[in-house]
Amino acid sequence: MSQERTERLWDVFLHSLWPLLQGMLKYTIPLSVVSFGLSLIFALLIALAGLSHKSYLRLPSRFYVWIVRGTPILVQLFIIFYGLPSFGIVLPAFPTVVIALTVSEAAYCSEIMRSTIKSLPQGQWRAGYSLGMSPFQVLRRVILPQAARISIPPLGSQFISLFKTSSLAALVTLPDLFGVAKQIAASTFEPMLLYIVAAGYYLAICSVLTVLQHRLENKFGKYSL
């Protein structure tokens, strides 16, 4: 590789670091955090509906999970962003990605929550009832705190996966981390370098998230049954 080529690559590398970081801070991280927070709320409702003995709650919940888990998130994203305008519903890119990620993650997280709640011994419910608690009180005070601790590892992994999946936002013109990398690559004609730098950012954040996940597991694992 010639010195001129090396200097050009170095120059592109240095000048791309800040725009890529801005894309991550402004879009990638907020998208991931907001979508995951909303998905946890909806996932809990879906999981509880799926555990209900009432068919009018359980069946729609299972149908939702079946549909969402059986279709690619990219297809779901394109349906919302490019399909809904056919019905007069036009959404900006950011809320579109939030909705798509939330819908998808809620289905997966609900299965984690449902299986976690089911894994707890039935004696936990009976013990709560024996103390005069209502079903809601047993759920809130006994079941959910234990289920939350048990579900930390799989939910942590799900959030890391969501952070990487948020790169799909670039396909609907959102200048997130990967979107900025695509823009700079198109103007500098250095796609390999830009995509490697973007991958480095994703790797760094996911590594930090993995460390935090392990610390949470160690902290809450001390109090698990």
Side-chain angles (χ1 to χ4, degrees), residues 30-206:
L31 274 174
S32 303
V33 172
V34 172
S35 299
F36 193 68
L38 292 174
S39 70
L40 290 180
I41 297 173
F42 290 116
L44 179 58
L45 298 176
I46 296 167
L48 294 178
L51 291 169
S52 175
H53 296 295
K54 300 174 181 178
S55 60
Y56 63 84
L57 292 176
R58 186 180 67 258
L59 294 181
S61 168
R62 304 308 301 157
F63 181 75
Y64 170 83
V65 172
W66 172 65
I67 288 290
V68 174
R69 294 182 67 186
T71 55
I73 185 174
L74 180 59
V75 175
Q76 299 165 13
L77 177 62
F78 273 41
I79 288 175
I80 297 172
F81 191 73
Y82 295 109
L84 289 183
S86 301
F87 299 93
I89 304 174
V90 180
L91 298 174
F94 189 91
T96 294
V97 179
V98 168
I99 292 172
L101 292 177
T102 299
V103 167
S104 177
E105 288 301 306
Y108 287 95
C109 290
S110 69
E111 287 297 276
I112 293 174
M113 294 179 180
R114 187 176 66 87
S115 60
T116 300
I117 294 173
K118 286 187 66 176
S119 70
L120 295 174
Q122 288 297 313
Q124 299 289 328
W125 291 91
R126 291 192 291 269
Y129 295 149
S130 67
L131 295 175
M133 295 184 185
S134 66
F136 177 75
Q137 289 175 324
V138 176
L139 179 68
R140 181 172 61 89
R141 297 179 181 179
V142 180
I143 302 300
L144 290 184
Q146 296 180 70
R149 288 195 294 268
I150 298 173
S151 63
I152 285 176
L155 288 179
S157 298
Q158 198 65 35
F159 178 69
I160 293 173
S161 177
L162 168 64
F163 181 79
K164 293 180 290 184
T165 304
S166 68
S167 61
L168 293 176
L171 299 179
V172 291
T173 70
L174 202 63
D176 67 326
L177 171 57
F178 187 60
V180 173
K182 287 181 60 180
Q183 292 175 359
I184 300 177
S187 61
T188 61
F189 302 102
E190 298 292 350
M192 178 63 75
L193 174 63
L194 271 300
Y195 296 155
I196 289 177
V197 176
Y201 274 114
Y202 282 110
L203 179 60
I205 297 299
C206 288

